[in-house]
Structures are given as C-alpha cells and as structure tokens.
C-alpha cells in the first residue's frame, strides 16, 4: 500500500496596477490616493479586513479538505459515514494495486470496530490508516531488495526481530500458509495479517504459560482461544 496523500494547494489571486497606475510613481512622504491605498490594504491587511473591503471583487477561498477524508468518502458509496468490509477493501491496496486479502480486511475491522457495528466510521478509519502506516515502515525495513514483497528469508528475519525463535521448518510452514497467491513471496497485506495473527496467538499462549515455554490447556480453553481469534 502506498498511502501517499496529495497536497491541495490553494491558488492565490494577485492583483496588478492598471497601466495608468503603473505610470504614476509614488514619491517619498506622499499620501497615496484612496483607490491606491485600498489596493495596498488589500494585499497587506488581515484576511478579515481584506474580505470586508473587496468582498465583491474577490471570491471566497476554497475550503481545504482533509485528503484522508477524501479517500474515506470516495469509497463510502452509500454515503452513511461508515465503511463495510467491501468498501474498506476498495480503500486498501498493495504496491501492485491488488486489493487487500479479505482475511486482512476482516482482521482490520475486528481490531478497529470499537462500537461493534461491523463497519468502520471515519474516526476508526483514521486509527486504522495510521496503524497500517506503522506496519508499512516495518515492511519496508525488512524488504531488503526493495521489490515491494517479502521473501522467505526476509520473513524469517522479521520474525526473529520480533522476538520469535522458530525452527526453519515452521518458518517455511507459516510462509507457505500466507503466500496465498502462490508467488513465492508475501505482499504487504499478507505480511500484516501473518504478524498480527501470530502476535495475537502469542498473547493467548502467554495467558497459560507459567514461564516454562510450554503450557497445559484444556480442550475448552483451547477452543475458546481459537474461536476468539477468528
């Protein structure tokens, strides 16, 4: 995903003196005629003074809209101020312009749908966007060859840096599971999905760990944790 944001520049209207006015130099200590004084004030007075003096000659400046809100509103097709899973998926794409995996979208909604509506409002969308921005920095940190995907070696390095000590066979098992497109690499959305899911599973494990790195868990507790993670 390249969540770059465009910057809207507000055009500035400049005023020039007429030909007759340009030919009339202003001498030191000379009082400007009223019409010249008005033009000078229009350029150097406060915005409220300028609008009061020239409201008939100058149109109001356009309101600058938050670029992120423009993204949100452009995919909010029904205009209710909330994004469904399909609408959110339209807003989130990888570097190659492919849409996020549905499971990643489901995970994002689970993490940021604070009111349990099953949708994402604009406040939740802003938090989600910033969260993905943090993951984007990590993704680019481990994308050593800068090809916008993560190889298995880069994936193993990321897991190790996050504090996980897994065997090479398990790393490959995880990698193959999240290489859902069968390309031999993991895109940004699947990198996020893999690591967030792994972190949530690790947190669930720690609830039962007594500091030995192994746990004893009942079938009921195990099923509870698994269903909660879905």
């Amino acid at each position: 995903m390249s969540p770059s944001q465009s910057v809207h520049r507000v055009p500035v209207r400049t005023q020039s003196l007429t030909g007759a006015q340009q030919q009339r130099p202003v001498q030191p200590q000379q009082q400007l005629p009223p019409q010249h004084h008005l033009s000078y004030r229009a350029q150097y007075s406060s915005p409220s003074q300028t609008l009061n003096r020239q409201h008939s000659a100058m149109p109001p400046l356009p309101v600058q809209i938050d670029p992120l809100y423009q993204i949100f509103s452009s995919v909010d097709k029904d205009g209710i101020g909330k994004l469904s899973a399909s609408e959110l998926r339209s807003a989130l794409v990888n570097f190659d312009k492919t849409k996020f995996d549905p499971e990643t979208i489901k995970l994002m909604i689970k993490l940021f749908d604070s009111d349990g509506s099953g949708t994402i409002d604009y406040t939740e969308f802003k938090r989600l966007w910033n969260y993905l921005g943090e993951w984007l920095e990590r993704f680019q940190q481990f994308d050593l060859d800068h090809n916008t995907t993560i190889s298995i070696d880069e994936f193993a390095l990321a897991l190790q840096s996050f504090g996980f000590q897994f065997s090479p066979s398990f790393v490959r098992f995880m990698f193959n599971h999240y290489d859902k497109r069968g390309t031999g690499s993991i895109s940004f959305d699947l990198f996020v999905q893999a690591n967030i899911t792994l972190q949530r599973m690790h947190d669930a494990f720690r609830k039962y760990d007594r500091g030995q790195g192994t746990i004893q868990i009942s079938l009921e507790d195990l099923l509870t944790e698994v269903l909660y993670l879905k």
Side-chain angles (χ1 to χ4, degrees):
M1 184 188 70
S2 179
S4 60
Q5 302 177 357
S6 60
V7 177
H8 298 273
R9 300 182 181 275
V10 178
V12 178
R13 171 173 293 187
T14 58
Q15 298 182 345
S16 60
L17 299 175
T18 63
Q21 292 171 332
Q22 291 176 352
Q23 297 174 6
R24 184 181 300 170
V26 178
Q27 298 299 328
Q29 307 299 325
Q30 180 179 350
Q31 181 67 34
L32 291 175
Q35 64 271 24
H36 290 244
H37 187 63
L38 178 61
S39 176
Y40 175 87
R41 293 286 295 178
Q43 297 182 45
Y44 295 98
S45 59
S46 66
S48 60
Q49 292 173 320
T50 300
L51 291 176
N52 289 335
R53 292 173 181 272
Q54 295 191 321
H55 64 277
S56 60
M58 296 180 61
L61 293 176
V63 177
Q64 188 167 355
I65 301 177
D66 179 3
L68 187 57
Y69 183 76
Q70 289 183 308
I71 296 174
F72 178 88
S73 60
S74 69
V75 297
D76 180 19
K77 299 303 182 182
D78 50 15
I80 64 173
K82 292 179 178 290
L83 301 185
S84 64
S86 61
E87 290 172 331
L88 179 61
R89 192 168 183 235
S90 298
L92 303 178
V93 296
N94 293 296
F95 290 96
D96 61 357
K97 306 303 181 182
T98 57
K99 294 182 179 180
F100 272 29
D101 182 77
E103 287 299 316
T104 306
I105 297 297
K106 179 181 177 180
L107 182 58
M108 292 295 101
I109 292 178
K110 187 176 184 67
L111 289 176
F112 291 96
D113 175 23
S114 57
D115 57 5
S117 64
T119 58
I120 297 294
D121 63 26
Y122 181 57
T123 298
E124 295 164 342
F125 182 72
K126 286 193 295 183
R127 294 200 300 266
L128 184 157
W129 190 274
N130 292 333
Y131 182 73
L132 288 177
E134 295 173 0
W135 272 108
L136 179 61
E137 292 181 1
R138 299 176 189 176
F139 179 86
Q140 293 174 328
Q141 175 185 354
F142 296 108
D143 179 19
L144 301 180
D145 56 7
H146 307 293
N147 68 345
T148 70
T149 59
I150 295 294
S151 67
I152 187 170
D153 291 334
E154 293 167 338
F155 186 64
L157 181 62
L159 294 180
Q160 184 178 359
S161 72
F162 295 153
F164 298 111
Q165 302 295 329
F166 295 135
S167 65
S169 60
F170 183 76
V171 171
R172 178 165 290 279
F173 170 78
M174 278 198 65
F175 182 84
N176 291 338
H177 177 76
Y178 288 102
D179 178 19
K180 296 184 178 183
R181 299 180 178 95
T183 60
S185 60
I186 294 179
S187 56
F188 173 63
D189 62 324
L190 296 173
F191 177 79
V192 171
Q193 182 186 144
N195 283 286
I196 294 178
T197 302
L198 180 58
Q199 186 61 56
R200 295 176 71 205
M201 294 176 65
H202 178 258
D203 292 343
F205 177 88
R206 290 183 60 186
K207 289 168 58 177
Y208 303 91
D209 184 17
R210 299 297 181 264
Q212 300 176 351
T214 59
I215 63 174
Q216 289 184 334
I217 187 171
S218 67
L219 177 60
E220 184 176 304
D221 287 339
L222 176 62
L223 291 175
T224 298
E225 297 298 337
V226 171
L227 292 175
Y228 175 77
L229 291 173
K230 286 187 174 296

